[in-house]
Amino acid sequence: MTKAENRAAARAWHQERMRQRAEEVRAEAIAADLVELSRLRHYLIFGRKDRSADREKLMQAIDDYVEEMTGDRTRLHAQNHKCG
């Protein structure tokens, strides 16, 4: 392997590693956002005392955002619930 080929291979390896790291950081950020959105959704369903705001619209907005991030609108719905 020539010096130029070695440099090209090292550059390609570095670019791939940086892409993997960026992907990992994005996955961690999405996971953290999902945790916070889950807490907010749970609060809207169970914790709110003031019913003046339309909580259905707020929950739909959260679901829209989750769908945009993950592609799964129901990601936060009944996570620990099993039927049957």
Side-chain angles (χ1 to χ4, degrees), residues 7-84:
R7 285 182 184 152
R11 188 176 302 115
W13 179 85
H14 177 71
Q15 288 174 346
E16 176 62 20
R17 184 66 185 135
M18 294 306 290
R19 186 194 63 77
Q20 288 175 348
R21 286 183 182 167
E23 197 173 287
E24 290 169 1
V25 167
R26 178 163 164 70
E28 289 174 5
I30 287 174
D33 285 349
L34 288 175
V35 168
E36 292 301 317
L37 288 170
S38 178
R39 290 178 60 216
L40 176 59
R41 192 170 194 283
H42 185 270
Y43 170 73
L44 288 173
I45 293 171
F46 299 110
R48 290 197 62 212
K49 304 298 181 211
D50 179 20
R51 303 289 181 195
S52 62
D54 190 7
R55 71 180 186 160
E56 288 299 320
K57 286 183 182 177
L58 293 171
M59 288 193 311
Q60 286 177 358
I62 291 170
D63 291 343
D64 289 343
Y65 185 62
V66 168
E67 182 179 19
E68 184 180 313
M69 285 189 330
T70 65
D72 181 14
R73 183 176 186 80
T74 61
R75 180 86 180 245
L76 300 178
H77 296 204
Q79 293 176 342
N80 297 324
H81 181 72
K82 292 185 179 180
C83 292

